[in-house]
Amino acid sequence: MEISSRDAGSDVVVIALREANLDASNVREFKEAVQALVGPAATRVVFDLEGVKFIDSSGLGALISCLRQLNARRGDLRLCSLTPTVQALLALMRMNRVFQIHADPQDAVASFD
């Protein structure tokens, strides 16, 4: 799985996922990678999903799980750089009401302030 992170200052971690799909075939690997990158102390995370073309229910569940874990620590999660297909899927599932969605990582990081 191609995933990387960078510190964006102000206790914000930006995680870039560069897989075409986030689905049942790689969701376990995704969760493990995110846990390793975020760590137990992080509370503000941005998922940059620029290259993701498809998310199934397992992938959506993994994103919701990450959001819940962060909320339990009084943190939050943002999504950014969504492809039109993924954006349409989130709107169809009404997940655009659950996740804050931004155009790019800079907007997502700035939204925490």
Side-chain angles (χ1 to χ4, degrees):
M1 169 162 284
E2 191 175 338
I3 190 168
S4 63
S5 71
R6 67 178 171 86
D7 186 15
S10 305
D11 300 329
V12 179
V13 176
V14 177
I15 297 176
L17 179 62
R18 297 297 180 248
E19 291 289 318
N21 300 319
L22 180 56
D23 57 22
S25 71
N26 62 5
V27 76
R28 178 175 289 168
E29 188 180 353
F30 170 77
K31 284 182 175 182
E32 290 170 359
V34 168
Q35 289 288 16
L37 293 171
V38 171
T43 57
R44 302 191 293 178
V45 175
V46 173
F47 280 120
D48 179 352
L49 303 177
E50 184 178 352
V52 179
K53 295 179 175 72
F54 174 75
I55 299 177
D56 73 358
S57 60
S58 298
L60 194 54
L63 292 174
I64 292 169
S65 175
C66 291
L67 176 63
R68 285 186 179 155
Q69 288 175 0
L70 288 165
N71 286 167
R73 294 185 234 166
R74 297 184 184 264
D76 209 352
L77 172 71
R78 306 286 194 264
L79 303 179
C80 69
S81 305
L82 303 182
T83 61
T85 305
V86 170
Q87 198 158 9
L89 171 76
L90 293 177
L92 179 68
M93 301 300 292
R94 299 191 190 270
M95 289 292 111
N96 56 342
R97 296 179 181 186
V98 174
F99 294 106
Q100 290 191 35
I101 300 170
H102 298 273
D104 56 50
Q106 294 79 13
D107 286 347
V109 170
S111 73
F112 285 115
D113 294 331

